[in-house]
Amino acid sequence: QVQLVESGGGLVQAGSSLRLSCRASGRTFSMYNMAWFRQDPGKEREFVATFSLNGGNTYYADSVKGRFTISRDNAKNTLYLQMNSLHPEDTAVYYCAARNRGVGSRYADDYDYWGQGTQVTVSS
């Protein structure tokens, strides 16, 4: 089992950058496929990016491709999301998620563990 704690959210202006972090407990972080999702109130949870154990491949939602970068530091048990050129439509609660089977997935139901989320608000 793994516990996830996100941090790094905040209120920024459009065009700014933020880096989110997701710290995982336990000693087996390196065995988990990890992902970032986001959710606006009243909307479904939306895939943002995933870092798959399968060759270390990364995948992004079209809406963030070229602006966001997912990375991980297994020595620090931490997942990151570097977000550049933020848009107001990037405003949401951002969640990290983990699964210890298969490969990275863009489907929320495939993940077993979730953090509590961190709010990102981008003003125009």
Side-chain angles (χ1 to χ4, degrees):
Q1 190 168 348
V2 64
Q3 292 183 324
L4 305 172
V5 179
E6 301 94 336
S7 61
L11 171 62
V12 296
Q13 290 187 332
S16 299
S17 298
L18 276 176
R19 189 176 79 158
L20 305 183
S21 298
C22 172
R23 181 73 187 272
S25 64
R27 295 176 290 178
T28 59
F29 174 73
S30 61
M31 298 174 64
Y32 287 85
N33 296 291
M34 302 295 298
W36 288 98
F37 288 79
R38 65 187 183 187
Q39 188 169 23
D40 250 349
K43 295 184 180 179
E44 290 190 359
R45 195 160 292 190
E46 175 190 19
F47 168 75
V48 175
T50 185
F51 192 116
S52 178
L53 292 176
N54 183 20
N57 294 318
T58 56
Y59 301 95
Y60 298 90
D62 288 343
S63 59
V64 306
K65 200 173 295 182
R67 299 188 298 123
F68 290 11
T69 302
I70 187 172
S71 62
R72 64 192 295 165
D73 186 335
N74 288 338
K76 295 182 178 180
N77 279 12
T78 303
L79 178 75
Y80 302 100
L81 185 68
Q82 178 67 43
M83 305 187 296
N84 298 329
S85 301
L86 283 162
H87 303 158
E89 49 267 36
D90 294 318
T91 295
V93 177
Y94 283 71
Y95 299 89
C96 67
R99 69 188 302 230
N100 61 0
R101 64 192 187 284
V103 298
S105 168
R106 57 183 61 229
Y107 301 104
D109 288 345
D110 287 341
Y111 290 84
D112 306 303
Y113 306 103
W114 293 85
Q116 83 290 347
T118 185
Q119 176 71 48
V120 172
T121 303
V122 184
S123 63
S124 57

